[in-house]
Amino acid sequence: MMDVPNGQPSVSTLTTTASERSSSSESLSEKGSSELKKSFDAVVFDVLKVTPEEYAGQITLMDAPVFKAIQPEQGFWCCFDGATRKAWWNPRPGGDNELSSCGWNKKEKHSSAPNAVAFTRRFNQVSFWVVREILHAQTLKIRAEVLSLYIRTAKKLCDMNNLHAVMAVVSGLQSAPIFRLTKTWALLSRKDKATFERLEYLMSKEDNYKRLRDYISSQSMTSCIPYLERVQDFVLG
């Protein structure tokens, strides 16, 4: 369009300019939003951005209320030995016996042991999460870093006495899809390998989990989240 005689741009020119500015502004806004989203995604979804301490803490915060929902008074009396100063739970006649009956292994588990079933579900969620994140790694180096991260997370969980989650992580690392990654395991540091071997030793099924039972006995004055598969041994003394 031509300019008017006084040198000012025409209405059409002003309209075109405003449109261009609006389009440019929208383009910059979209670009900024895209960059922000990209930055946000990298922080939230990069498993290596979170420390083992943070993972262990968050897993324990999620496990604790699920474990506490399994109420001992539903099927147990609390007993206390004044001589040894130890407390334990004994079955109460007529109680639900959600733990002592191992109801979570039965066909009617959802009705006979709903809280124990929920706790078992937490175990599977953690174990499958470990496997998935390791296998999703795009390179051998990153895969080894993620594997190292979960070994250190299991160690922190053990320090917090969340033995249920320790077993979940160790089970994930012992699963066939992960255990067969020989090149990945070969890249681990000597310290990480030694840590994993100690955890495997502690959580071994040998002698009916004797090492785990001995460990929990040694921690009798400290609270813990036990491994559900053997929890009936611990609560029944």
Side-chain angles (χ1 to χ4, degrees):
M1 300 295 294
M2 294 178 61
D3 290 347
V4 293
N6 62 3
Q8 296 299 321
S10 68
V11 173
S12 298
T13 303
L14 287 171
T15 302
T16 302
T17 303
S19 176
E20 289 174 349
R21 287 176 180 174
S22 175
S23 176
S24 176
S25 176
E26 289 176 1
S27 178
L28 289 172
S29 177
E30 290 174 359
K31 182 179 179 182
S33 175
S34 176
E35 290 178 350
L36 179 61
K37 183 179 179 181
K38 182 178 180 181
S39 175
F40 177 82
D41 288 346
V43 172
V44 173
F45 297 109
D46 185 352
V47 69
L48 294 173
K49 293 291 185 180
V50 183
T51 67
E53 292 83 1
E54 291 172 320
Y55 275 130
Q58 291 301 312
I59 290 171
T60 301
L61 284 174
M62 295 174 71
D63 284 348
V66 183
F67 177 61
K68 286 179 66 178
I70 308 174
Q71 297 292 334
E73 58 266 23
Q74 290 178 339
F76 294 90
W77 292 110
C78 181
C79 304
F80 182 75
D81 187 335
T84 62
R85 300 188 63 79
K86 288 187 177 182
W88 68 94
W89 297 96
N90 271 345
R92 182 182 68 190
D96 294 334
N97 294 322
E98 186 171 354
L99 293 180
S100 64
S101 65
C102 298
W104 64 88
N105 289 323
K106 298 180 179 180
K107 185 177 181 179
E108 63 280 6
K109 60 185 180 181
H110 293 287
S111 58
S112 63
N115 298 308
V117 169
F119 199 43
T120 300
R121 189 179 299 116
R122 277 292 304 151
F123 180 98
N124 293 333
Q125 288 171 346
V126 172
S127 189
F128 292 152
W129 168 63
V130 168
V131 173
R132 183 185 68 244
E133 292 299 335
I134 294 175
L135 294 181
H136 277 186
Q138 298 299 309
T139 66
L140 180 61
K141 181 178 181 294
I142 294 176
R143 192 176 301 120
E145 291 175 356
V146 177
L147 177 58
S148 171
L149 172 73
Y150 285 123
I151 290 174
R152 288 178 284 127
T153 298
K155 173 63 169 61
K156 293 299 179 182
L157 286 165
C158 192
D159 293 341
M160 294 179 178
N161 279 338
N162 186 350
L163 302 177
H164 194 255
V166 173
M167 182 63 84
V169 175
V170 170
S171 295
L173 297 178
Q174 290 176 327
S175 65
I178 305 303
F179 199 71
R180 70 180 182 177
L181 300 174
T182 53
K183 292 182 179 179
T184 303
W185 286 94
L187 290 181
L188 289 178
S189 67
R190 185 177 302 176
K191 181 179 179 181
D192 285 339
K193 290 178 181 177
T195 298
F196 182 67
E197 288 173 0
R198 287 195 298 271
L199 292 170
E200 271 193 316
Y201 182 82
L202 174 63
M203 310 306 287
S204 172
K205 296 180 180 179
E206 188 177 342
D207 293 332
N208 196 27
Y209 295 94
K210 183 179 185 303
R211 300 186 190 109
L212 181 57
R213 288 186 286 115
D214 289 345
Y215 177 80
I216 287 196
S217 295
S218 71
Q219 303 290 316
S220 59
M221 300 304 291
T222 306
S223 60
C224 76
I225 301 179
Y227 173 45
L228 183 59
E229 187 66 23
R230 303 285 9 125
V231 73
Q232 70 271 22
D233 294 340
F234 310 140
V235 299
L236 297 178

